[in-house]
C-alpha cells in the first residue's frame, strides 16, 4: 500500500511538473501582445508612408498647373510686333470719298521709279479731265445720271461696233455682276457687256463686241487692257471711264489696294486712257 501511494504521488507530481512545463512552453506562443504590437506598428508606418505619398502627389498636382500657366503666359506674349495690314489701317479710319488728287498721287507714286521727271510731268491730268466724285451718298445709277445728264441722247448717237461709250472698271467678276444689276435705272435701252476673265474666253468677248453695238462695258482692268491690246475693244467712241473707287471688299480693301488689280489698272491707263484724257476726249469719274 505504501509503495502504491508513493508511486501515485510521484506520478501525480511528475504529471503536474510536466503540465507546468507544457504550460511554460505554450505561454510564449499563446501571448498575443508581443506579436500583435509590431503588426500595429507596421500598419501605422504603412499609413504614414501612404499619407506622405498622397501629400507628395498633391504637391505635384498643384505644381503642374502653375507651370502650364507660366507657359501659357509666355505663349501669349508677342515675340515680335505684327505689321499693320491694309485691313487694320482702313478699319481704324473712317471711309472718305475718293477725289482726283488721290488718283493723281497714286499714278505719280507708281511711275516715280519707272519714268523720268519729264515723263512724269506728262502724266499729270488737269482738273477738267475729271468728273465730279461720288460723295458716298449715291447709288451707281444716281451717280451716272449726275455725271452723264445727256445719256439718252449719247446712247442713240453711238453706232460703232467694238467700242463703248462708258467703261466701268471694278476689282472682280462678282463685283462686275453686281454693278450691271445696279445699272438698270440708268442705262435704259443701252446694251451692257461683262468684261472679265472668269469663265469667259477673251475670243468670245471679242466676237460679242464685233457682233453688235455695245454702249457700256463693265469689268476688271486686266481683261479690259487685254481686249484693248488684242484690238478687240477700241477707244474711239469712249467718253467716260468710271472707277469703282470707294467700294471695299470683306477685308476692307478698295480696288487699288489689291496689288494685282493696281498693276493691271496702271497698264490700262497706259493703253490709251491717259492720252485720251489729255486730248479732252475721255473724262474719269471716281464712284
Amino acid at each position: 500500500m505504501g509503495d502504491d501511494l508513493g508511486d501515485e504521488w510521484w506520478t501525480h507530481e511528475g504529471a503536474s511538473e510536466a503540465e507546468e512545463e507544457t504550460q511554460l512552453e505554450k505561454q510564449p506562443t499563446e501571448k498575443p501582445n508581443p506579436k500583435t504590437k509590431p503588426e500595429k506598428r507596421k500598419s501605422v508606418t504603412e499609413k504614414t508612408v501612404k499619407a506622405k505619398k498622397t501629400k507628395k502627389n498633391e504637391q505635384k498636382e498643384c505644381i503642374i498647373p502653375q507651370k502650364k500657366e507660366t507657359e501659357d503666359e509666355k505663349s501669349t506674349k508677342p515675340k515680335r510686333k505684327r505689321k499693320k495690314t491694309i485691313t487694320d489701317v482702313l478699319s481704324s479710319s473712317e471711309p472718305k470719298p475718293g477725289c482726283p488728287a488721290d488718283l493723281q498721287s497714286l499714278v505719280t507714286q507708281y511711275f516715280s521709279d519707272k519714268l523720268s521727271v519729264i515723263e512724269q510731268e506728262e502724266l499729270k491730268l488737269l482738273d477738267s479731265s475729271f468728273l465730279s466724285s461720288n460723295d458716298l451718298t449715291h447709288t451707281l445709277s444716281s451717280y451716272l445720271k449726275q455725271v452723264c445728264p445727256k445719256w439718252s441722247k449719247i446712247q442713240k448717237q453711238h453706232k460703232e461696233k467694238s467700242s463703248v461709250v462708258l467703261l466701268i472698271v471694278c476689282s472682280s467678276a462678282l463685283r462686275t455682276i453686281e454693278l450691271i444689276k445696279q445699272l438698270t435705272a440708268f442705262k435704259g435701252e443701252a446694251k451692257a457687256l461683262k468684261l472679265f476673265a472668269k469663265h469667259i474666253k477673251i475670243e468670245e468677248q471679242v466676237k460679242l463686241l464685233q457682233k453688235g453695238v455695245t454702249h457700256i462695258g463693265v469689268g476688271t482692268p486686266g481683261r479690259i487692257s487685254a481686249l484693248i491690246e488684242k484690238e478687240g475693244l477700241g477707244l474711239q467712241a469712249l467718253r467716260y471711264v468710271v472707277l469703282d473707287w470707294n467700294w471695299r471688299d470683306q477685308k476692307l480693301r478698295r480696288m487699288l489696294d489689291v496689288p494685282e488689280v493696281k498693276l493691271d489698272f496702271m497698264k490700262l491707263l497706259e493703253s490709251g486712257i491717259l492720252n485720251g484724257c489729255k486730248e479732252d476726249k475721255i473724262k474719269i469719274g471716281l464712284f
Side-chain angles (χ1 to χ4, degrees):
M1 292 289 292
D3 293 332
D4 293 334
L5 287 169
D7 292 333
E8 285 176 3
W9 181 85
W10 280 109
T11 55
H12 178 72
E13 190 174 337
S16 63
E17 286 177 0
E19 285 176 0
E20 284 178 2
E21 285 177 3
T22 53
Q23 283 176 0
L24 288 169
E25 287 175 359
K26 286 179 182 179
Q27 275 178 1
T29 57
E30 286 175 359
K31 286 180 182 178
N33 292 333
K35 288 184 180 180
T36 53
K37 280 180 184 177
E39 285 176 3
K40 285 181 181 177
R41 283 176 187 173
K42 282 180 184 178
S43 63
V44 170
T45 52
E46 283 176 1
K47 285 179 183 178
T48 54
V49 169
K50 285 179 181 178
K52 285 179 183 179
K53 283 181 180 179
T54 52
K55 282 182 182 179
K56 285 180 181 179
N57 290 332
E58 284 175 0
Q59 287 178 354
K60 285 180 182 178
E61 286 175 3
C62 294
I63 292 164
I64 289 164
Q66 286 178 358
K67 286 180 181 178
K68 284 183 180 178
E69 284 175 7
T70 52
E71 286 172 2
D72 292 337
E73 285 174 4
K74 286 179 182 179
S75 63
T76 53
K77 290 180 181 179
K79 293 180 181 179
R80 291 180 182 178
K81 288 183 178 180
R82 188 172 66 86
K83 290 181 180 179
K84 285 187 177 181
T85 61
I86 294 168
T87 306
D88 294 331
V89 175
L90 293 175
S91 61
S92 61
S93 61
E94 293 181 2
K96 294 179 181 179
C99 62
D102 295 333
L103 177 59
Q104 191 67 67
S105 63
L106 190 72
V107 172
T108 305
Q109 185 183 0
Y110 179 80
F111 289 108
S112 62
D113 58 345
K114 297 174 179 64
L115 301 174
S116 64
V117 178
I118 297 167
E119 287 172 330
Q120 287 178 42
E121 285 294 324
E122 291 177 356
L123 289 175
K124 287 186 178 179
L125 299 174
L126 298 172
D127 292 339
S128 59
S129 300
F130 291 93
L131 300 166
S132 60
S133 301
N134 180 20
D135 58 0
L136 303 182
T137 61
H138 285 285
T139 62
L140 181 59
S141 288
S142 66
Y143 174 70
L144 292 173
K145 283 178 182 179
Q146 181 186 352
V147 297
C148 308
K150 298 179 181 179
W151 175 250
S152 59
K153 185 180 178 181
I154 293 167
Q155 73 168 15
K156 285 175 184 177
Q157 291 176 348
H158 176 58
K159 302 210 186 256
E160 292 184 43
K161 293 180 181 179
S162 300
S163 188
V164 295
V165 180
L166 170 61
L167 199 56
I168 301 171
V169 185
C170 59
S171 59
S172 67
L174 286 173
R175 183 61 179 162
T176 300
I177 294 164
E178 286 176 16
L179 291 175
I180 287 175
K181 288 177 182 177
Q182 292 178 27
L183 281 172
T184 307
F186 168 75
K187 71 185 183 72
E189 295 178 1
K191 184 182 176 182
L193 189 64
K194 295 177 287 188
L195 304 176
F196 54 76
K198 195 173 185 179
H199 306 309
I200 303 174
K201 292 180 180 179
I202 194 167
E203 291 80 14
E204 292 176 11
Q205 289 169 340
V206 171
K207 286 177 183 178
L208 286 169
L209 287 163
Q210 290 173 347
K211 190 176 179 180
V213 177
T214 306
H215 302 85
I216 304 170
V218 187
T220 56
R223 177 47 63 92
I224 294 168
S225 59
L227 284 165
I228 294 168
E229 214 174 285
K230 287 184 174 288
E231 298 182 351
L233 177 66
L235 302 179
Q236 62 273 14
L238 186 62
R239 293 184 64 175
Y240 305 104
V241 175
V242 174
L243 310 178
D244 189 26
W245 187 274
N246 298 302
W247 181 79
R248 298 175 188 268
D249 63 10
Q250 290 180 347
K251 295 181 179 180
L252 300 177
R253 298 175 302 180
R254 294 168 298 184
M255 178 176 70
L256 296 181
D257 290 326
V258 183
E260 297 84 4
V261 179
K262 182 180 176 181
L263 188 67
D264 290 336
F265 175 71
M266 293 302 171
K267 189 178 177 181
L268 175 60
L269 289 181
E270 286 183 293
S271 65
I273 290 174
L274 285 176
N275 289 333
C277 289
K278 285 181 182 180
E279 294 170 4
D280 203 24
K281 291 179 180 178
I282 299 172
K283 294 189 182 296
I284 297 175
L286 276 59
F287 170 65

